[in-house]
């Protein structure tokens, strides 16, 4: 009896050790989820988005971008994934692509103050001040307590006046 109990405990320890290795950090958790989740499972897109977030947090933009794109391929109407992809593309200097994803995020969720704000930033970088002002105003309308949006709006208005 004690030998079989010892074998069972040993097998449980090995299984536990193997499972715990998947929980090392957010990236390993979501990579494991991608490997073991049925591709038809409705939350599979969310898993790719979460893995993209974990990779983005670690500064692995190129990998994050591929997972955000997979998320959008699986669930094209997922506004948060478009916003996340816009952020990652913007960080890579891919301004035009970022703008298109921010616009899609806003189309899917017009009340997303963060997407309006980030779109405003991307438009300022591109020199499109009138449209940037519009999106900063939307950010302030949607989130009046967001002080950075007021600063962004003020900056864009000053730049617009300089250009005009």
């Amino acid at each position: 009896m004690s030998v079989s109990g010892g074998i069972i405990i040993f097998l449980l320890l090995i299984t536990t050790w193997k499972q715990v290795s998947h929980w090392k950090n957010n990236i390993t958790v979501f990579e494991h989820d991608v490997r073991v989740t049925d591709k038809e499972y409705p939350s599979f897109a969310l898993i790719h988005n979460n893995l993209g977030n974990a990779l983005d947090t670690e500064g692995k933009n190129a990998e994050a971008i591929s997972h955000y794109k997979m998320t959008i391929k699986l669930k094209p109407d997922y506004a948060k994934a478009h916003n996340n992809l816009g952020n990652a593309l913007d960080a890579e200097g891919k301004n035009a692509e970022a703008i298109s994803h921010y616009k899609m995020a806003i189309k899917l969720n017009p009340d997303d103050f963060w997407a309006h704000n980030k779109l405003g930033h991307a438009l300022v970088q591109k020199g499109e001040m009138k449209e940037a002002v519009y999106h900063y105003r939307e950010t302030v309308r949607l989130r009046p307590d967001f002080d950075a949006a007021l600063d962004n709006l003020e900056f864009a208005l000053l730049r617009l006046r300089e250009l005009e």
Side-chain angles (χ1 to χ4, degrees), residues 14-152:
I14 290 173
T15 303
T16 301
W17 176 78
K18 185 175 179 183
Q19 288 300 314
V20 167
S21 71
H22 299 302
W23 292 87
K24 186 168 48 171
N25 59 44
N26 286 341
I27 294 173
T28 59
V29 168
F30 294 120
E31 284 176 338
H32 176 70
D33 286 351
V34 166
R35 282 192 304 276
V36 300
T37 303
D38 179 5
K39 308 303 185 249
E40 300 300 316
Y41 189 69
S43 294
F44 195 59
L46 180 62
I47 293 167
H48 275 284
N49 188 64
N50 289 343
L51 178 53
N53 288 339
L55 290 163
D56 188 45
T57 300
E58 295 294 318
K60 298 178 178 182
N61 276 356
E63 292 175 68
I65 288 169
S66 72
H67 285 283
Y68 293 140
K69 286 182 176 180
M70 178 58 78
T71 302
I72 291 167
K73 181 179 177 185
L74 295 167
K75 190 168 173 43
D77 63 344
Y78 189 18
K80 188 68 177 163
H82 283 283
N83 193 34
N84 291 340
L85 180 55
N87 292 338
L89 290 166
D90 193 42
E92 292 286 307
K94 298 176 179 176
N95 188 268
E97 258 188 285
I99 287 171
S100 72
H101 284 285
Y102 290 136
K103 286 182 176 181
M104 181 56 77
I106 291 167
K107 181 179 178 183
L108 295 168
N109 181 9
D111 293 336
D112 185 346
F113 77 93
W114 196 248
H116 280 285
N117 190 61
K118 295 299 284 185
L119 177 55
H121 285 314
L123 291 165
V124 164
Q125 291 173 354
K126 196 174 175 186
E128 295 182 16
M129 292 304 151
K130 284 184 182 179
E131 195 176 350
V133 166
Y134 169 79
H135 288 286
Y136 285 141
R137 282 188 172 136
E138 280 298 291
T139 305
V140 171
R141 182 184 67 79
L142 293 166
R143 186 78 185 267
D145 62 333
F146 187 30
D147 292 336
L150 289 168
D151 293 340
N152 295 336

